[in-house]
Amino acid sequence: MYLALLVIFLQCSGVYTQERVFTFNSVEIRAKPSVKVKNGAPMSIICHADISKSASFHLQHNITIFKDGKLVYMIVSDKGIARYEVPIARSSDTGEYECTVKADGKTKSSNLLQVWVTGMTKPILTAEKREVLEGEVVKLHCELPEEVPPLLFLFRKIKVNSTPKEKYVFEAHRNFSTVEFSVEEGDNILQFDCFGKRYVKHINIELESSEPSNRTLVTVKEPFIKPSLIIKSTSNITEGDRIEFECSTVVARMRDIEIILQKNKTILNSVRDEKLLKYSAVATLEDSGEYLCKVEQGRASKTTKLNVVVAELFPKPILSASVSKLDENKELTLSCSISGFQKANFSILRRNSNGDILLKNSRNLTMRVNVNDTGSYICKAEVKRIAKESKPVRISVYAPVSKPTLSVVNGLPEVVLGKPLRLICRLMMGTPPITFTFYKGNEVKKVVINDTYATFLDENIRQNDKRGYKCDARNNHSSGVKTSNILNITVIVPIQNVSLGSIPYGEVEDGSETVFLCSVEEGSWPIHFKIFKTTDHDTLLYEKTESTDRIVWHKETMSRQDTGTYYCMVSNRAKVNVKSHPITINVILASWQKGVIAAFVLILIAGAITLTAWWFLCKKKKAKGSSMEMSRSALATNSTNEKLARQHNDGDYYSGSGYIEDGENHMKSSDENKDSTENRHSRIQGHPDAT
């Protein structure tokens, strides 16, 4: 029975499972009335899921709608459709829409739908004041109702017959903005409006703009009138006349009013909290030009300009000199004059950084000059309290140049071949500017104009160049040119190709003499030679300075410790160390040392042979004695038996004859061995190599 129930349950479950099968065919999203909607119109976003089922059964749908990835609408329904209503579409509703449907563990999303709401809400503009004074500010407020930030606001200040002034303000978190415009001189009736802008994503990112706001009218009042600038004196102004300026205005209130008189941006006079400014001065030719009167109060400002021409009373004086360049102790005459004008007070001065020095109150000056009189001179002329000065005249007084000295910059009259030679030509005396000329032989190499010295760099040095150097100097003194002594230069040839050799070469007997030869192929004398032996720290063995291209060093006794590598280091005044290739010397045993060693070896060999022979004879002797003893033992036994028999028979007993013979034979063998050893020693000592 239980088995039957189980079969029925499984069949029912299979039927139920088959009845709950479904699949998403598609999920679609669309906008109504279209994907392009006018701002303020209603809009609907509709999401529809197309589902296939195996049978009719109840299925819950979880439908969500997103805009630009953010959730805007969600509903749970047993129908496969959802509608997101936007009663009044705004530009902020522009974007990409997508819907997602979830049902019984399955999820399906639609494609992206781009919706564009065209246009923006008309902005509303208000002004804090409708009537302002020049110098004040107009504060404006622009709002975009029902729009969502971020927003960009454009404010405009509009004047008749003028280009509007614009200000942009970005608001990241507000749908309104405020701004201030200053009211300037000349502003009368002003109009203001504003626009709203926002970035929308429609295919590409675009900047969408609203229609202009309402225009707001602002009336401007003057806090004061444009100032008046006049000259009270005569209209024809000549140098020496007194010139008087008056600048005035009419103000609504006196507080914080300021009047300023300027010429070429230089303030001449100013007053505060007054309506009138006065300024006077003795007119000079430099007073001609444009004058400006400015009235300021707060931010308000008005100006008036006046052009003034001052006639010349007399021209500037002219200073002339009898000569502008002259030798010291010569006479100089300076004269001051005014073209077409004779009656004036003249004075002649010398320019100085601490103030001009008066030389004479006269139109003429004659003096005997020295070098310290070099400088600029002027003359002044005064008529009717008007003083004018001439253009400066430069006077140069020259002392003669001394004989120049030519030397090498580093002090020594020598140069290394291949290196440049720098020469300097100096003067102890002479008024600059001085013209220096350098010669190599009779050839001009360089001309330099300087104050007290000049240098010349010769980069073309040759080994056998015998031409000397000289320089001359001259200035504007009449004495002419002075020439230095001739400077001869020693050309130092650097060391080239150092070699080291030895006699004998390679192998040297212990205790013998070795001769080292270090030589150079090329190099100026004197030459410094050094011979080293290579060790952990190279050891200097010999050094010497010679005016020759080689040295010889005798090392009288060589030892085994002298085995090693040797090299030669050479230098001269070129200060470049040149190293030879190394040579290797091996110290070997002398001939007599070899003889001693050979004799010693022969002695060892002879001793070994003697010991071997002695051992062999001893062994042979021992073997022979054993054999004789065995024979004697047998004879003795027989003899004993015979004697015993004889003793038994004769009654006599005798022994020891065999012992005596053996002793004699032993002594004889020892003597023979001794004679043999003595003869052998006699032969080793007589060997030519014996010690």
Side-chain angles (χ1 to χ4, degrees), residues 152-170:
L152 181 66
F153 290 87
L154 168 62
F155 294 86
R156 296 195 306 172
K157 175 186 175 182
I158 305 169
K159 290 197 301 184
V160 179
N161 299 325
S162 178
T163 303
K165 290 188 177 180
E166 299 179 343
K167 287 187 178 181
Y168 284 91
V169 182
F170 178 74

Side-chain angles (χ1 to χ4, degrees), residues 281-378:
V282 175
T284 64
L285 199 62
E286 287 74 21
D287 291 328
S288 297
E290 188 178 74
Y291 290 79
L292 182 142
C293 178
K294 181 185 287 186
V295 180
E296 295 179 340
Q297 188 177 44
R299 297 189 182 186
S301 174
K302 294 179 185 293
T303 60
T304 298
K305 295 178 181 180
L306 178 65
N307 194 51
V308 176
V309 177
V310 179
E312 188 177 53
L313 177 61
F314 64 94
K316 287 184 177 182
I318 299 173
L319 180 64
S320 59
S322 59
V323 62
S324 61
K325 297 178 181 179
L326 69 165
D327 296 348
E328 61 180 355
N329 297 321
K330 296 291 184 178
E331 197 172 78
L332 172 68
T333 299
L334 299 173
S335 299
C336 189
S337 62
I338 300 175
S339 177
F341 205 93
Q342 297 295 325
K343 294 181 180 180
N345 296 322
F346 293 96
S347 58
I348 298 177
L349 305 91
R350 181 182 172 188
R351 282 282 167 87
N352 187 277
S353 58
N354 296 322
D356 295 344
I357 301 171
L358 176 64
L359 300 178
K360 190 177 183 180
N361 285 320
S362 174
R363 66 189 307 159
N364 297 310
L365 172 65
T366 300
M367 62 180 183
R368 192 167 295 277
V369 295
N370 58 44
V371 174
N372 294 328
D373 292 323
T374 295
S376 295
Y377 293 80
I378 61 169

